Amino acid sequence: MEMERVRARVRARVPARAGVRVLPRPLTAVLAGCAVLGGALMLLLPPDRPAQPPAPGPAARAERAVTAGAPAVLPDLTAFIGDRETFVRTHAGDGQAWAQLGAAYVERGRRTADPLDFPRAERALRTSLNVRSANNAEGLAGMAALSNARRDFPAARKWGEAAVRQAPQRWTSYPALLDAYTGLGDYKAVRRTLERLRELRSGAAVPAVLARAAGVYRDEGRREDAQAALADAAARAATPAEEAEWRYRSGELAWERGEPADALAHFKAARRLDPALGSARAGEGRALAALGRTSEAIGAYRSALARQPSPRFMLELGELYDSLGRSAEALAQYAALRTRVAREQTAGVDGELLLGRLEADHGDPESAVRRLRSEWARQPGLEVADALGWALHRSGKDAEALDWAKRATDKEHGGEVRSAPYAYHRGMIERELGLTGPARRHLEEALRINPYFSPGGVRAAKEALEAVDALGEPVVSGPPD
């Protein structure tokens, strides 16, 4: 009792601060313990982190891809196109939005082989350049990409060079210019442009840059470097659509070096990542045919054409039918090809190279020669040189044909790519001219590069080799002429 009276006197001598309530001692002890426990828990818990931003939606994903020159899946592209179309209705003076809309149309047209997207792209891109005539490298690069998609390489060069002059530090202007120079057969400019592109992106291995480098390496005959660059691009891809594109291109390289099983694996992987990728499905058809699985191959081609009615796939399927003796179905494909090319030409797409190839083997070779001479005068790439040489051979002009075949295969003209069809064409021309040794070398080279390069061409090459061997002329050592 005495102790309690002492405590009471002490409390009376210590006045409470105004507005502060003096708590009973037991409660004070409890709160003090909670404070200590709370401090300990704060030390144990991780610091607050900012909330993660929501994952980008379809339109945002496509915008990232389109502005970086990367592929996008069709649903995302459609969503982005709808978004940009809505935006420019109320912001008609926004040059960047018009440029993005045009680039998205180009990409969708490329993915679907729908030529109607190309006039839409041109209208959007020209609107962009009209409302923003200065500092619009994005619009200029979009016009270059559109011209490449239409196989108008002189126009692509003009627009691409303008984009680079306006914004030389903008690396996304350079890939379209690379494609233009390649289409024109200007391989010095290709190498120079690739070096500049790699300098600009030296601090980061951008998948789109790696893929462009792979294309240059392939044209230079550096297949291992090309394959390594594509594998690196696929590993660094930011989206499934992007990885699918690089896996598809890896499949194309595997096909060109005569490895259909490896090519098939790449094409299937690409389609798993992007089920709507029609080019990968057509690649499966090509590889399946080489592996002797012709029924599956035909199904794959039909499926590809349903997604992406490309005239190139129609030609491949028609030639597969021809090799199987199914002439009526082959002719139906060739007729569909002509109709499709005519439709594309109304949208500004140049189909002369493909028509020249079709006419040379399955129509009027003289018509093919006329088409391809004109095509060469306008855009002299290696593909045109090879096709023109073959058309001349098919029309009986083998002496002149050989000059063009040499242009497509000799390094002095830039023909460094290791192409089985090019070697086959040259060998057949040489055989017709009685140049037995060179003919043998080039036909053997074609079958060594890719023993499956063409259903009909492989059979003809083997028959020609048997005829050459029957002559008994000794093989001349050394590199091809």
Side-chain angles (χ1 to χ4, degrees):
M1 292 293 293
E2 184 62 27
M3 182 60 70
E4 287 298 320
R5 285 195 291 272
V6 171
R7 288 173 178 165
R9 286 196 298 271
V10 172
R11 287 196 295 268
R13 290 172 185 165
V14 183
R17 286 177 292 173
V20 178
R21 183 182 177 189
V22 179
L23 298 174
R25 188 176 180 188
L27 181 56
T28 303
V30 170
L31 292 175
C34 289
V36 172
L37 178 60
L41 289 173
M42 290 298 293
L43 292 174
L44 293 174
L45 292 173
D48 288 341
R49 295 177 180 174
Q52 291 293 325
R61 288 195 300 267
E63 180 178 6
R64 289 182 182 180
V66 166
T67 54
V73 295
L74 283 174
D76 288 3
L77 275 173
T78 299
F80 181 53
I81 287 171
D83 175 83
R84 294 291 85 182
E85 286 175 337
T86 300
F87 183 83
V88 296
R89 288 191 191 104
T90 54
H91 300 78
D94 191 319
Q96 182 182 42
W98 281 110
Q100 290 174 344
L101 177 59
Y105 280 137
V106 173
E107 177 64 8
R108 190 173 69 177
R110 185 187 71 83
R111 286 290 307 271
T112 62
D114 183 357
L116 295 181
D117 267 331
F118 295 151
R120 297 185 186 112
E122 184 171 358
R123 287 192 294 271
L125 290 165
R126 290 194 181 277
T127 301
S128 173
L129 294 169
N130 286 335
V131 301
R132 185 180 171 186
S133 56
N135 300 320
N136 193 355
E138 194 170 1
L140 294 168
M143 287 296 293
L146 171 62
S147 300
N148 281 322
R150 286 170 155 172
R151 285 193 53 82
D152 186 352
F153 301 120
R157 177 179 58 191
K158 179 191 74 172
W159 293 112
E161 289 177 346
V164 168
R165 281 196 303 271
Q166 193 171 104
Q169 300 302 314
R170 184 181 182 273
W171 74 267
T172 48
S173 299
Y174 288 82
L177 190 54
L178 270 176
D179 290 344
Y181 287 142
T182 301
L184 293 170
D186 190 348
Y187 294 100
K188 289 182 180 179
V190 167
R191 296 184 185 97
R192 184 175 64 247
T193 304
L194 178 62
E195 286 305 311
R196 180 58 179 150
L197 175 57
R198 296 181 70 175
E199 288 171 6
L200 290 172
R201 300 305 302 174
S202 59
V206 177
V209 176
L210 290 166
R212 297 292 174 168
V216 176
Y217 299 153
R218 178 260 182 196
D219 291 343
E220 292 176 344
R222 298 162 56 187
R223 286 183 170 175
E224 292 77 11
D225 291 339
Q227 195 68 53
L230 282 175
D232 200 4
R236 295 170 183 268
T239 65
E242 190 178 4
E243 183 181 353
E245 181 69 19
W246 313 144
R247 292 297 297 269
Y248 160 70
R249 296 193 191 183
S250 294
E252 290 284 277
L253 280 178
W255 166 257
E256 288 181 357
R257 66 174 181 260
E259 298 175 2
D262 189 25
L264 183 61
H266 281 295
F267 293 139
K268 285 187 172 182
R271 202 160 57 86
R272 281 194 298 270
L273 291 160
D274 184 356
L277 191 58
S279 55
R281 189 67 173 132
E284 288 182 53
R286 201 178 311 125
L288 288 165
L291 294 169
R293 297 158 60 179
T294 52
S295 295
E296 293 175 76
I298 290 170
Y301 272 119
R302 288 174 173 169
S303 175
L305 286 167
R307 293 182 174 91
Q308 186 177 344
S310 164
R312 175 194 168 195
F313 304 157
M314 294 173 184
L315 180 58
E316 290 181 9
L317 178 55
E319 292 183 336
L320 177 57
Y321 280 137
D322 258 335
S323 72
L324 298 172
R326 297 165 63 169
S327 301
E329 289 162 294
L331 290 173
Q333 286 300 315
Y334 302 149
L337 185 160
R338 290 187 175 92
T339 300
R340 188 73 186 182
V341 168
R343 182 184 177 192
E344 290 185 349
Q345 286 176 329
T346 63
V349 179
D350 177 7
E352 292 301 288
L353 175 60
L354 196 64
L355 284 176
R357 288 173 170 166
L358 173 67
E359 295 297 341
D361 279 326
H362 311 288
D364 180 357
E366 293 289 348
S367 169
V369 169
R370 289 192 296 272
R371 290 178 183 278
L372 293 167
R373 285 195 196 279
S374 176
E375 187 74 357
W376 174 264
R378 201 170 71 86
Q379 39 194 24
L382 285 186
E383 286 186 302
V384 182
D386 168 72
L388 177 54
W390 187 244
L392 286 163
H393 162 72
R394 295 285 293 173
S395 62
K397 302 178 179 67
D398 289 293
E400 186 182 359
L402 184 57
D403 291 336
W404 291 99
K406 287 180 177 180
R407 187 181 291 271
T409 52
D410 287 347
K411 290 185 178 181
E412 65 183 280
H413 301 296
E416 297 176 282
V417 60
R418 297 192 66 213
S419 167
Y422 291 4
Y424 161 70
H425 290 160
R426 181 168 176 175
M428 294 296 282
I429 294 167
E430 289 167 333
R431 172 180 173 270
E432 196 66 25
L433 290 170
L435 302 173
T436 311
R440 180 186 288 113
R441 288 201 305 275
H442 287 112
L443 292 171
E444 287 176 345
E445 181 186 2
L447 295 172
R448 186 168 56 250
I449 292 171
N450 183 0
Y452 315 97
F453 67 87
S454 160
V458 167
R459 182 184 302 123
K462 290 179 178 178
E463 291 173 354
L465 273 173
E466 290 177 1
V468 167
D469 289 340
L471 295 175
E473 182 172 326
V475 177
V476 179
S477 61
D481 293 344

